[in-house]
Amino acid sequence: MKLLPFDYAVRNLGRSPMRLAASVAGSALVVGLVLAAGGFVRGMEKSLTVQGGHDNVIILGAGSEESIERSQISGGVATLVTGAVPGIRSRLGVPYVSPEVHMAAVLKPDRDSTAEWTAVLRGVTPTAFLVHPQVRIIEGRPPTPGQYEMMVGRLAAVRLGAAADQLALGRTLWFDNRAWTITGRFEAPNTVMDAEIWTPLNDLQIATKRDTTVSCVIVTLDDADVGDVAAFCAQRLDLELAAIGEAEYYASLLRFYRPVRAMVWVTAVLIAVGGLFGGLNTMYAAFAARVRELGALQTLGFSRLSIVISFLQESLLATACGGLLAATLALLLLDGLAVRISMGAFALTLDDAVLTMGLAAGAGLAVVGVLPPLYRCLRLPIVEALRTA
Amino acid sequence: MLTPRFIPLILKQVYRHRTRSILTFAGVAVAMFLFSAVQAMQSGVERATRQNAEDTTLVVYRKDRYCPFASRIPQSYEAKIERIPGVAAVVPIKIVVSNCRTSLDVVTFRGVPKDAFLEAFAPGFRLLSGSLIDWERRGDAALLGDTLAKRRGLKVGDRFQAAGITVYVAGVMHSDEAQHENVAYVHLDFLQFAAGSRSGGIVTQFNVKVTDPARLEEVAAAIDAEFAADQEPTQTSPEKAFVARAAADVVEIVGFMRWLGLGCLLAVLALIANAIVLSVQDRIREHAVLQTLGYRGHLIARLIVGEGLVLSLGGAMLGSLLALGLMSYGRFALSVDGLSIAVHPQVSQFVQALVAAGLLGILAGLAPAWQAARREIVTCFRAV
C-alpha cells in the first residue's frame, strides 16, 4: 500500500492558519480539562491512600469507623493496649502508641475578628511523630504542652482560606477564647495531615472539656497484626472499642468521596463532549471543501486507507500540539495547586498516569473528530468526488 | 423582526444541513445541560442561605465548634432560653451524622423530643407511608425523609444502621424543605444514649422560634449573652445564616461553579457562531440569488440571525429539560455538618436557559449576518 508522505499532512495543516489555531485551541481546552479533572481525582486519592508501610492500626469508638471525629474513648486505652497486645513496635523502650484527639474547630485570626476559619485540629503527644513518620517539621519547633501553642501543616492556610503570612511563626490564632501561638510548621505530603493543625493533647482536651477522653489511639505494629488488636477490643466490651487498619480507614474515606469524584469526571466529560461536537462541525465543513482533493488523490493511486492514515496524521498533529500546550500549562499552573475540601485540603497531582490519560484523550479526540467526516467524504465514488464544486 | 411567513424557510435551512444542525444542537444541549445544573445548585444554595423578612428561626450552637459531634450543649439550657423575652418556642435537637465531610451520601439523624416534633415539625410534613403513632410508640423508631429513604432503598418496617446507630423505619415523609428530606427523625433520648459518649442530657443545638421576626438579631444576642460565661458558651444565629456558615465549603464550591456556568454560555456562543459562519460560507451564492430575486440585505441578515436563534433555542430546550428532569428525579443534595443543601430545579431556570440561549443565538448570528447583508451581488457570484 502506497502511503501519502508525512509532509503532505504537515503542509495541509498550514493551509488554513485560523482553522489550525481553532483545532489547537479546542484540543488544548479539552486536554486541559481532562488534566484538571484527573489531577483533582488523583490528588484526592493520594491524600487518602496510606503511603509506605501499612502497619498502623486505629483504635476508636465502636460505631465511629466512618469518621474518627465522632469517636470518643477512654484515654487509658493507650496504656491498656500497650500492655495487652504484644508485638507493638517500640524504639528505645518507647512504644509506638499515639493517643490523639481529632476535631473540627472554628478558629479566628484575632479575638474581635468576625472572620471564622474551620480547621481540623489534632491533639497529639510526642509519640505521634513515631507513629506518623511522614510528618516532618520544616520550620520552628513542636508546641510545648501547657503553653497553648500550635504547629500548622503546610496546607493549613489553604484549608483555612487564610493568607500564608497569617499562619507564620509567632502569629496567634484564637480558639475557645484563648490565644494559641504558632511555633512550628510541618509537612506530610500526600496525607490528610498536611492540612491539619497540631496541638499538645492535654491542651486540646482541656480546651474542649474532654476530661481524659481521646478520639482514637493509633498503634504501629511489629509482630502483631490487626487481628490481635481487634481481639483486644473484643475482649474489652466495657470500653466499646473497634480496631481498623489505617489504610482501610482512609480507603473508606476515599469511597465516601466517590460521588464527588464522579461529579468532577462527569463535568469534565460533558465539557469535552460539547467541545467535540463543535470540532466535528468544523471538521465536516473543512473536509467538505476537500472532497475534490480526495478524489484526485484516489485518481493518483492512493487507496482510501492511505488517505485516512494521512488525515489521521494531520488531525493527530494538530491535537498533539494542543495537548502538549495544555500539558505544559497544566504542569506549570495546576500541578501542586492546593484545593480545599471539607475537613481538609490536598494538592492537585499531575503524575505520569494523569498526563498519559490527558494526552490519550487528545488522541481520542483526534480520531473521533476526523473519522466520521472523512468517511462521509470518502464514500463518494471518485467521479462524483471530482465533479464536486 | 421577522414575519412568521419566513419561519418555514429558516427551518428548512436548518434541516438542509442535518449533520451540522444535529451537532450544533447536541453541543448547545450539553452546554446548557451544565448551565442549568449549575443554576439549580446555585438556586439551592440561595434558598438555603438567603434570609428573608419572614424568617423566625434561630439556631443556638456551641461557640467555636464545627462538627455536630463537637457541639455539646446541656439540655438544661432550654429552660433558660424559654425565659428570654421574644422567644416563642425552643426545641432541643441532637444531631448525629455518619460523616462530617461533604458528600452526596451522608446519613443525618436528628433526635427531637416527641412532643416538640409532633407540634413543631410534623405539621409541615406529608406522611407517605407508615404512621406517626408507630413512631411515637417505639423507642428506636425513625421517620425518614423521602430522599434519604429512596437513596438507601428503605421502606417502612426495615431496620438500618448508620453512624453506629440502628433504627427501625416507622414512616417515610415528604417535606418541601431539603433539610427534612435528607434526615432521619428519631427520639431525642434514644439518640442521646445510642450515640454513646455520655450524651445523656446533651444536645447539639436548639432551634428557637421568635415571636417577632424583626427581633431576630436582638433575641440571638440575648441568648448568647445569657450563656457567655457558662461552661458551654453559645453562638446564636438566624437559621439561614447558620447554614451559610456551616456549609461555607459547599457555598464556596457552588460559587466557583458560577464560572463554569459562564464558560458554558461562552461555549454556546462559540458553537452557534461556528455553525452560522459555516452555513453562511456555504450559501454565498444562494444569498446572491435571493438578493437578485428581491430579498433585501437586511432581510437576509434577519434570516441568518433567525437560524442562529433556532439552533440555540432547540439545543437549550433539550439540554435544560434533561438537566432539570435529572435533578428533579435524582433529588441530589450536598450534605455537610448535618445540613443538606439540595439542588433545586425550577421552571424559572428553564426559562432562564432559553432566554440566555436565545440572546446568545442572536448575538452569534449578528456578525456573519451583517457581513452577508453588505456583500454585493456580483461579489457573491464571483466568490464561488
Side-chain angles (χ1 to χ4, degrees), chain A residues 63 66 69-70 72 104 106 116 118 159 175-176 209 213 256-257 259 270-271 278 281-282 285 340 342 376, chain B residues 19-20 24 30 34 64-66 69 97 99 101-103 163-164 198 231 235 245 249 252 260 271 274 278:
Chain A
E66 291 174 68
E69 294 82 14
R70 280 194 294 109
Q72 190 161 319
V106 175
E116 288 181 347
T118 50
R159 170 61 227 144
F175 169 60
D176 231 43
K209 300 176 185 69
T213 61
F256 174 76
Y257 279 121
L270 282 175
I271 294 175
N281 240 343
T282 310
R340 181 177 150 182
S342 70
R376 201 186 194 199
Chain B
T19 307
R20 180 186 300 155
T24 310
V30 167
L34 279 172
D64 296 336
R65 296 293 184 266
Y66 176 65
F69 180 77
V97 292
N99 205 308
R101 293 168 175 79
T102 305
S103 191
R198 296 173 295 165
Q231 189 185 6
Q235 184 170 14
R245 203 175 65 243
D249 284 346
E252 197 177 307
L260 177 65
L271 277 164
N274 185 41
L278 293 171

CSV table of all heavy atoms in Angstrom, one decimal, chain A residues 63 66 69-70 72 104 106 116 118 159 175-176 209 213 256-257 259 270-271 278 281-282 285 340 342 376, chain B residues 19-20 24 30 34 64-66 69 97 99 101-103 163-164 198 231 235 245 249 252 260 271 274 278:
chain,number,residue,atom,x,y,z
A,63,GLY,N,-18.7,2.0,66.3
A,63,GLY,CA,-19.7,2.8,65.6
A,63,GLY,C,-19.2,4.0,64.9
A,63,GLY,O,-19.9,4.7,64.2
A,66,GLU,N,-16.5,5.2,60.5
A,66,GLU,CA,-16.6,6.0,59.3
A,66,GLU,C,-16.0,7.4,59.5
A,66,GLU,O,-15.6,8.1,58.5
A,66,GLU,CB,-18.0,6.2,58.8
A,66,GLU,CG,-18.7,5.0,58.3
A,66,GLU,CD,-20.2,5.2,58.0
A,66,GLU,OE1,-20.5,6.0,57.1
A,66,GLU,OE2,-21.0,4.7,58.8
A,69,GLU,N,-13.7,11.7,63.9
A,69,GLU,CA,-14.1,12.9,64.6
A,69,GLU,C,-15.3,12.6,65.6
A,69,GLU,O,-15.5,13.3,66.5
A,69,GLU,CB,-14.4,14.0,63.6
A,69,GLU,CG,-13.3,14.5,62.8
A,69,GLU,CD,-13.0,13.7,61.6
A,69,GLU,OE1,-13.8,12.8,61.3
A,69,GLU,OE2,-11.9,13.8,61.0
A,70,ARG,N,-16.1,11.6,65.2
A,70,ARG,CA,-17.2,11.3,66.1
A,70,ARG,C,-16.8,10.4,67.3
A,70,ARG,O,-17.7,10.1,68.1
A,70,ARG,CB,-18.3,10.5,65.3
A,70,ARG,CG,-19.1,11.4,64.4
A,70,ARG,CD,-20.4,10.7,63.9
A,70,ARG,NE,-20.1,9.6,63.0
A,70,ARG,CZ,-20.2,8.3,63.3
A,70,ARG,NH1,-20.6,7.9,64.5
A,70,ARG,NH2,-19.9,7.3,62.5
A,72,GLN,N,-15.1,8.8,70.7
A,72,GLN,CA,-14.7,9.2,72.0
A,72,GLN,C,-14.4,7.9,72.8
A,72,GLN,O,-15.3,7.2,73.1
A,72,GLN,CB,-15.7,10.1,72.7
A,72,GLN,CG,-15.2,10.7,73.9
A,72,GLN,CD,-16.0,11.9,74.3
A,72,GLN,OE1,-16.4,12.7,73.5
A,72,GLN,NE2,-16.3,12.1,75.6
A,104,ALA,N,-12.9,19.0,64.4
A,104,ALA,CA,-13.1,20.2,63.6
A,104,ALA,C,-13.4,21.4,64.5
A,104,ALA,O,-14.3,21.2,65.4
A,104,ALA,CB,-14.2,20.0,62.6
A,106,VAL,N,-13.5,25.9,65.1
A,106,VAL,CA,-13.6,27.2,64.4
A,106,VAL,C,-12.5,28.1,65.1
A,106,VAL,O,-12.5,28.3,66.3
A,106,VAL,CB,-15.0,27.9,64.7
A,106,VAL,CG1,-15.0,29.3,64.1
A,106,VAL,CG2,-16.0,27.0,64.0
A,116,GLU,N,-14.2,33.7,60.4
A,116,GLU,CA,-14.1,32.4,61.1
A,116,GLU,C,-13.5,31.4,60.2
A,116,GLU,O,-13.9,31.4,59.0
A,116,GLU,CB,-15.5,32.0,61.5
A,116,GLU,CG,-16.1,32.8,62.6
A,116,GLU,CD,-17.5,32.2,63.0
A,116,GLU,OE1,-18.1,31.5,62.2
A,116,GLU,OE2,-18.0,32.6,64.1
A,118,THR,N,-12.6,27.3,59.6
A,118,THR,CA,-12.8,26.0,60.1
A,118,THR,C,-11.6,25.2,59.9
A,118,THR,O,-11.0,25.2,58.8
A,118,THR,CB,-14.0,25.3,59.4
A,118,THR,OG1,-13.8,25.4,58.0
A,118,THR,CG2,-15.3,25.9,59.8
A,159,ARG,N,-6.5,25.2,53.8
A,159,ARG,CA,-7.7,24.7,54.5
A,159,ARG,C,-8.5,25.8,55.1
A,159,ARG,O,-9.7,25.8,55.1
A,159,ARG,CB,-7.3,23.6,55.5
A,159,ARG,CG,-8.3,23.1,56.4
A,159,ARG,CD,-9.4,22.4,55.7
A,159,ARG,NE,-10.7,22.9,56.3
A,159,ARG,CZ,-11.8,23.2,55.6
A,159,ARG,NH1,-11.8,22.9,54.3
A,159,ARG,NH2,-12.9,23.6,56.2
A,175,PHE,N,-8.8,30.4,69.6
A,175,PHE,CA,-9.7,29.2,69.7
A,175,PHE,C,-10.2,29.1,71.1
A,175,PHE,O,-9.4,29.2,72.1
A,175,PHE,CB,-8.9,27.9,69.3
A,175,PHE,CG,-9.7,26.7,69.6
A,175,PHE,CD1,-11.0,26.5,69.0
A,175,PHE,CD2,-9.2,25.7,70.4
A,175,PHE,CE1,-11.7,25.3,69.3
A,175,PHE,CE2,-9.9,24.5,70.7
A,175,PHE,CZ,-11.1,24.3,70.1
A,176,ASP,N,-11.5,29.0,71.3
A,176,ASP,CA,-12.1,28.9,72.6
A,176,ASP,C,-11.7,30.0,73.5
A,176,ASP,O,-11.3,29.8,74.7
A,176,ASP,CB,-11.7,27.5,73.2
A,176,ASP,CG,-12.9,26.8,73.7
A,176,ASP,OD1,-13.9,26.7,73.0
A,176,ASP,OD2,-12.8,26.2,74.8
A,209,LYS,N,-12.9,20.5,77.0
A,209,LYS,CA,-13.5,19.8,78.2
A,209,LYS,C,-13.8,18.3,77.9
A,209,LYS,O,-14.9,17.8,78.2
A,209,LYS,CB,-14.8,20.6,78.5
A,209,LYS,CG,-14.6,22.0,78.8
A,209,LYS,CD,-15.9,22.8,79.1
A,209,LYS,CE,-15.6,24.3,79.2
A,209,LYS,NZ,-15.1,24.9,78.0
A,213,THR,N,-10.7,11.8,77.8
A,213,THR,CA,-11.0,11.0,76.7
A,213,THR,C,-10.3,11.5,75.4
A,213,THR,O,-9.8,12.7,75.4
A,213,THR,CB,-12.5,11.1,76.4
A,213,THR,OG1,-12.9,12.5,76.1
A,213,THR,CG2,-13.4,10.6,77.5
A,256,PHE,N,-16.1,7.2,50.3
A,256,PHE,CA,-17.1,8.2,50.7
A,256,PHE,C,-17.1,9.4,49.8
A,256,PHE,O,-18.2,9.9,49.4
A,256,PHE,CB,-16.8,8.7,52.1
A,256,PHE,CG,-17.6,9.9,52.6
A,256,PHE,CD1,-18.9,9.6,53.1
A,256,PHE,CD2,-17.1,11.1,52.6
A,256,PHE,CE1,-19.7,10.7,53.5
A,256,PHE,CE2,-17.9,12.2,53.1
A,256,PHE,CZ,-19.2,12.0,53.5
A,257,TYR,N,-16.0,9.7,49.2
A,257,TYR,CA,-15.9,10.8,48.3
A,257,TYR,C,-16.1,10.4,46.8
A,257,TYR,O,-16.0,11.2,45.9
A,257,TYR,CB,-14.5,11.5,48.4
A,257,TYR,CG,-14.3,12.4,49.5
A,257,TYR,CD1,-13.3,12.2,50.5
A,257,TYR,CD2,-15.1,13.6,49.6
A,257,TYR,CE1,-13.2,13.1,51.5
A,257,TYR,CE2,-15.0,14.5,50.6
A,257,TYR,CZ,-14.0,14.2,51.6
A,257,TYR,OH,-13.9,15.1,52.6
A,259,PRO,N,-18.9,9.9,45.1
A,259,PRO,CA,-19.8,10.8,44.4
A,259,PRO,C,-19.2,12.1,43.9
A,259,PRO,O,-19.5,12.6,42.8
A,259,PRO,CB,-21.0,11.0,45.3
A,259,PRO,CG,-20.9,9.9,46.3
A,259,PRO,CD,-19.4,9.5,46.4
A,270,LEU,N,-18.6,16.0,30.0
A,270,LEU,CA,-19.6,16.8,29.3
A,270,LEU,C,-19.0,17.9,28.6
A,270,LEU,O,-19.4,18.2,27.4
A,270,LEU,CB,-20.6,17.3,30.3
A,270,LEU,CG,-21.7,16.2,30.8
A,270,LEU,CD1,-22.6,16.8,31.9
A,270,LEU,CD2,-22.5,15.7,29.7
A,271,ILE,N,-18.1,18.6,29.2
A,271,ILE,CA,-17.4,19.8,28.6
A,271,ILE,C,-16.6,19.3,27.4
A,271,ILE,O,-16.7,19.9,26.3
A,271,ILE,CB,-16.5,20.5,29.6
A,271,ILE,CG1,-17.4,21.2,30.6
A,271,ILE,CG2,-15.7,21.6,28.8
A,271,ILE,CD1,-16.6,21.9,31.7
A,278,GLY,N,-18.5,20.7,18.6
A,278,GLY,CA,-18.1,21.9,17.9
A,278,GLY,C,-17.0,21.6,16.9
A,278,GLY,O,-17.0,22.0,15.8
A,281,ASN,N,-18.2,19.7,13.8
A,281,ASN,CA,-18.9,20.7,12.8
A,281,ASN,C,-17.8,21.3,11.9
A,281,ASN,O,-18.0,21.3,10.7
A,281,ASN,CB,-19.6,21.8,13.6
A,281,ASN,CG,-21.1,21.8,13.3
A,281,ASN,OD1,-21.5,21.2,12.4
A,281,ASN,ND2,-21.8,22.5,14.2
A,282,THR,N,-16.8,21.8,12.6
A,282,THR,CA,-15.7,22.4,11.8
A,282,THR,C,-15.0,21.4,10.8
A,282,THR,O,-14.7,21.7,9.7
A,282,THR,CB,-14.6,23.0,12.8
A,282,THR,OG1,-15.3,23.7,13.7
A,282,THR,CG2,-13.6,23.8,12.0
A,285,ALA,N,-17.1,20.7,7.8
A,285,ALA,CA,-17.0,21.8,6.8
A,285,ALA,C,-15.7,21.8,6.1
A,285,ALA,O,-15.6,21.9,4.9
A,285,ALA,CB,-17.3,23.1,7.5
A,340,ARG,N,-9.1,23.1,48.5
A,340,ARG,CA,-9.7,23.0,49.8
A,340,ARG,C,-11.0,22.1,49.6
A,340,ARG,O,-11.8,22.4,48.7
A,340,ARG,CB,-10.1,24.4,50.3
A,340,ARG,CG,-10.7,24.4,51.6
A,340,ARG,CD,-10.9,25.9,51.9
A,340,ARG,NE,-12.0,26.1,52.8
A,340,ARG,CZ,-12.5,27.3,53.2
A,340,ARG,NH1,-11.8,28.3,52.8
A,340,ARG,NH2,-13.5,27.4,54.0
A,342,SER,N,-14.0,19.8,52.3
A,342,SER,CA,-14.4,19.8,53.6
A,342,SER,C,-13.5,19.0,54.5
A,342,SER,O,-13.1,17.9,54.1
A,342,SER,CB,-15.9,19.3,53.7
A,342,SER,OG,-15.9,17.9,53.5
A,376,ARG,N,-17.6,10.1,5.4
A,376,ARG,CA,-18.7,10.7,4.6
A,376,ARG,C,-18.1,11.2,3.3
A,376,ARG,O,-18.7,11.0,2.2
A,376,ARG,CB,-19.2,11.9,5.4
A,376,ARG,CG,-20.6,12.3,4.9
A,376,ARG,CD,-21.0,13.5,5.6
A,376,ARG,NE,-22.4,13.7,5.4
A,376,ARG,CZ,-23.0,14.9,5.6
A,376,ARG,NH1,-22.3,15.9,6.0
A,376,ARG,NH2,-24.3,15.0,5.5
B,19,THR,N,-26.6,17.1,9.5
B,19,THR,CA,-25.5,16.7,10.4
B,19,THR,C,-25.0,17.9,11.2
B,19,THR,O,-24.8,17.9,12.4
B,19,THR,CB,-24.3,16.2,9.5
B,19,THR,OG1,-24.9,15.1,8.7
B,19,THR,CG2,-23.2,15.7,10.4
B,20,ARG,N,-24.8,19.0,10.5
B,20,ARG,CA,-24.3,20.3,11.1
B,20,ARG,C,-25.3,20.7,12.2
B,20,ARG,O,-24.9,21.0,13.3
B,20,ARG,CB,-24.1,21.4,10.1
B,20,ARG,CG,-23.6,22.7,10.8
B,20,ARG,CD,-23.5,23.8,9.8
B,20,ARG,NE,-22.6,23.5,8.7
B,20,ARG,CZ,-22.7,24.0,7.4
B,20,ARG,NH1,-23.7,24.8,7.1
B,20,ARG,NH2,-21.9,23.6,6.5
B,24,THR,N,-24.7,20.9,16.2
B,24,THR,CA,-24.8,22.1,16.9
B,24,THR,C,-25.8,22.0,18.0
B,24,THR,O,-25.6,22.5,19.2
B,24,THR,CB,-25.2,23.3,16.0
B,24,THR,OG1,-24.4,23.3,14.8
B,24,THR,CG2,-25.2,24.6,16.7
B,30,VAL,N,-25.5,20.1,25.5
B,30,VAL,CA,-24.6,19.7,26.5
B,30,VAL,C,-24.2,20.9,27.4
B,30,VAL,O,-24.2,20.9,28.6
B,30,VAL,CB,-23.3,19.0,25.9
B,30,VAL,CG1,-22.2,18.9,26.9
B,30,VAL,CG2,-23.6,17.7,25.4
B,34,LEU,N,-25.2,21.6,31.4
B,34,LEU,CA,-24.3,22.0,32.5
B,34,LEU,C,-24.7,23.4,33.1
B,34,LEU,O,-24.7,23.5,34.4
B,34,LEU,CB,-22.9,22.2,32.0
B,34,LEU,CG,-22.1,20.9,31.9
B,34,LEU,CD1,-20.8,21.1,31.2
B,34,LEU,CD2,-21.8,20.2,33.3
B,64,ASP,N,-17.6,28.3,68.6
B,64,ASP,CA,-16.3,27.9,68.1
B,64,ASP,C,-16.3,26.4,67.8
B,64,ASP,O,-15.2,25.7,67.9
B,64,ASP,CB,-15.2,28.2,69.1
B,64,ASP,CG,-15.0,29.6,69.3
B,64,ASP,OD1,-15.4,30.4,68.4
B,64,ASP,OD2,-14.5,30.0,70.4
B,65,ARG,N,-17.4,25.8,67.5
B,65,ARG,CA,-17.5,24.4,67.1
B,65,ARG,C,-18.0,24.3,65.7
B,65,ARG,O,-18.8,25.1,65.2
B,65,ARG,CB,-18.3,23.6,68.1
B,65,ARG,CG,-17.8,23.5,69.5
B,65,ARG,CD,-16.4,22.8,69.6
B,65,ARG,NE,-16.0,22.7,71.0
B,65,ARG,CZ,-15.2,23.6,71.5
B,65,ARG,NH1,-14.7,24.6,70.8
B,65,ARG,NH2,-14.8,23.4,72.8
B,66,TYR,N,-17.6,23.2,65.0
B,66,TYR,CA,-17.9,23.0,63.6
B,66,TYR,C,-18.8,21.7,63.4
B,66,TYR,O,-19.9,21.8,63.0
B,66,TYR,CB,-16.7,23.0,62.8
B,66,TYR,CG,-16.9,22.7,61.3
B,66,TYR,CD1,-17.6,23.6,60.5
B,66,TYR,CD2,-16.4,21.5,60.8
B,66,TYR,CE1,-17.8,23.3,59.2
B,66,TYR,CE2,-16.6,21.3,59.4
B,66,TYR,CZ,-17.3,22.2,58.6
B,66,TYR,OH,-17.5,21.9,57.3
B,69,PHE,N,-20.7,16.6,66.3
B,69,PHE,CA,-20.2,15.9,67.5
B,69,PHE,C,-19.5,16.8,68.5
B,69,PHE,O,-19.6,16.6,69.7
B,69,PHE,CB,-19.2,14.8,67.1
B,69,PHE,CG,-18.7,14.0,68.2
B,69,PHE,CD1,-19.5,13.0,68.8
B,69,PHE,CD2,-17.4,14.3,68.7
B,69,PHE,CE1,-19.0,12.3,69.9
B,69,PHE,CE2,-16.9,13.5,69.8
B,69,PHE,CZ,-17.7,12.6,70.4
B,97,VAL,N,-24.2,12.6,62.6
B,97,VAL,CA,-24.0,12.3,61.1
B,97,VAL,C,-23.1,11.2,60.9
B,97,VAL,O,-22.2,10.9,61.8
B,97,VAL,CB,-23.5,13.6,60.4
B,97,VAL,CG1,-24.5,14.7,60.4
B,97,VAL,CG2,-22.2,14.1,61.1
B,99,ASN,N,-20.9,11.2,58.7
B,99,ASN,CA,-19.6,11.8,58.4
B,99,ASN,C,-19.7,13.3,58.3
B,99,ASN,O,-20.7,13.8,57.8
B,99,ASN,CB,-19.0,11.2,57.0
B,99,ASN,CG,-17.5,11.3,56.9
B,99,ASN,OD1,-16.9,12.3,57.2
B,99,ASN,ND2,-16.9,10.2,56.6
B,101,ARG,N,-17.9,15.2,56.7
B,101,ARG,CA,-17.4,15.7,55.5
B,101,ARG,C,-18.5,15.9,54.5
B,101,ARG,O,-19.6,15.4,54.7
B,101,ARG,CB,-16.3,14.8,54.9
B,101,ARG,CG,-15.1,14.7,55.7
B,101,ARG,CD,-14.2,13.6,55.3
B,101,ARG,NE,-12.9,13.6,56.0
B,101,ARG,CZ,-12.8,13.2,57.3
B,101,ARG,NH1,-13.8,12.7,57.9
B,101,ARG,NH2,-11.6,13.3,57.9
B,102,THR,N,-18.2,16.7,53.4
B,102,THR,CA,-19.2,17.0,52.4
B,102,THR,C,-19.3,15.8,51.4
B,102,THR,O,-18.3,15.4,50.8
B,102,THR,CB,-18.8,18.2,51.6
B,102,THR,OG1,-18.6,19.3,52.6
B,102,THR,CG2,-19.9,18.6,50.6
B,103,SER,N,-20.5,15.3,51.2
B,103,SER,CA,-20.6,14.4,50.1
B,103,SER,C,-22.1,14.3,49.8
B,103,SER,O,-22.9,15.0,50.4
B,103,SER,CB,-20.1,13.0,50.5
B,103,SER,OG,-20.1,12.2,49.3
B,163,ALA,N,-23.8,5.4,61.1
B,163,ALA,CA,-23.1,6.1,62.2
B,163,ALA,C,-23.2,5.3,63.5
B,163,ALA,O,-23.2,5.9,64.6
B,163,ALA,CB,-23.8,7.5,62.4
B,164,GLY,N,-23.2,4.0,63.4
B,164,GLY,CA,-23.2,3.2,64.6
B,164,GLY,C,-24.5,3.1,65.3
B,164,GLY,O,-24.6,2.6,66.5
B,198,ARG,N,-21.4,9.3,76.6
B,198,ARG,CA,-22.1,10.1,77.7
B,198,ARG,C,-22.8,11.3,77.2
B,198,ARG,O,-22.6,12.4,77.6
B,198,ARG,CB,-21.0,10.5,78.7
B,198,ARG,CG,-20.3,9.3,79.4
B,198,ARG,CD,-19.1,9.7,80.3
B,198,ARG,NE,-18.1,10.3,79.5
B,198,ARG,CZ,-17.1,11.0,80.0
B,198,ARG,NH1,-17.1,11.2,81.3
B,198,ARG,NH2,-16.1,11.4,79.3
B,231,GLN,N,-20.2,27.2,81.1
B,231,GLN,CA,-19.3,26.2,80.7
B,231,GLN,C,-19.3,26.0,79.2
B,231,GLN,O,-18.2,25.7,78.6
B,231,GLN,CB,-19.7,24.9,81.4
B,231,GLN,CG,-18.7,23.8,81.2
B,231,GLN,CD,-19.1,22.5,81.8
B,231,GLN,OE1,-20.3,22.4,82.2
B,231,GLN,NE2,-18.3,21.5,81.8
B,235,GLN,N,-23.3,30.3,70.3
B,235,GLN,CA,-23.3,31.2,69.2
B,235,GLN,C,-24.6,31.0,68.5
B,235,GLN,O,-24.9,30.0,68.0
B,235,GLN,CB,-22.1,30.9,68.3
B,235,GLN,CG,-22.0,31.9,67.1
B,235,GLN,CD,-20.8,31.7,66.3
B,235,GLN,OE1,-20.1,30.7,66.4
B,235,GLN,NE2,-20.4,32.7,65.6
B,245,ARG,N,-22.9,29.6,57.2
B,245,ARG,CA,-21.6,29.5,57.8
B,245,ARG,C,-21.2,28.0,57.9
B,245,ARG,O,-20.0,27.7,57.6
B,245,ARG,CB,-21.7,30.1,59.2
B,245,ARG,CG,-20.4,30.5,59.8
B,245,ARG,CD,-20.5,31.2,61.1
B,245,ARG,NE,-21.0,30.3,62.2
B,245,ARG,CZ,-22.1,30.5,62.8
B,245,ARG,NH1,-22.9,31.5,62.5
B,245,ARG,NH2,-22.5,29.7,63.8
B,249,ASP,N,-18.0,25.7,52.9
B,249,ASP,CA,-17.2,25.0,51.8
B,249,ASP,C,-18.1,24.7,50.6
B,249,ASP,O,-17.6,24.9,49.5
B,249,ASP,CB,-16.7,23.6,52.4
B,249,ASP,CG,-15.5,23.8,53.3
B,249,ASP,OD1,-14.9,25.0,53.3
B,249,ASP,OD2,-15.2,22.9,54.0
B,252,GLU,N,-18.9,27.8,48.8
B,252,GLU,CA,-17.7,28.3,48.0
B,252,GLU,C,-17.6,27.5,46.7
B,252,GLU,O,-17.4,28.1,45.6
B,252,GLU,CB,-16.5,28.1,48.8
B,252,GLU,CG,-15.3,28.9,48.3
B,252,GLU,CD,-14.1,28.7,49.2
B,252,GLU,OE1,-14.2,28.9,50.4
B,252,GLU,OE2,-13.0,28.4,48.7
B,260,LEU,N,-18.1,28.2,35.8
B,260,LEU,CA,-18.4,27.1,34.9
B,260,LEU,C,-19.6,27.4,34.1
B,260,LEU,O,-19.7,27.2,32.8
B,260,LEU,CB,-18.6,25.8,35.7
B,260,LEU,CG,-19.0,24.6,34.8
B,260,LEU,CD1,-17.8,24.2,33.9
B,260,LEU,CD2,-19.3,23.4,35.7
B,271,LEU,N,-20.2,27.8,19.7
B,271,LEU,CA,-20.8,26.7,18.8
B,271,LEU,C,-21.8,27.3,17.8
B,271,LEU,O,-21.7,26.9,16.6
B,271,LEU,CB,-21.6,25.8,19.7
B,271,LEU,CG,-20.8,24.7,20.5
B,271,LEU,CD1,-21.6,24.1,21.6
B,271,LEU,CD2,-20.3,23.7,19.5
B,274,ASN,N,-19.9,29.4,15.2
B,274,ASN,CA,-19.2,28.5,14.3
B,274,ASN,C,-20.1,27.9,13.2
B,274,ASN,O,-19.9,27.9,12.0
B,274,ASN,CB,-18.5,27.3,15.1
B,274,ASN,CG,-17.7,26.4,14.2
B,274,ASN,OD1,-17.0,26.9,13.4
B,274,ASN,ND2,-17.8,25.1,14.5
B,278,LEU,N,-20.1,28.7,9.2
B,278,LEU,CA,-20.0,27.7,8.2
B,278,LEU,C,-21.2,27.7,7.2
B,278,LEU,O,-21.1,27.5,6.0
B,278,LEU,CB,-19.9,26.3,8.9
B,278,LEU,CG,-18.7,26.1,9.7
B,278,LEU,CD1,-18.8,24.8,10.5
B,278,LEU,CD2,-17.4,26.0,8.8
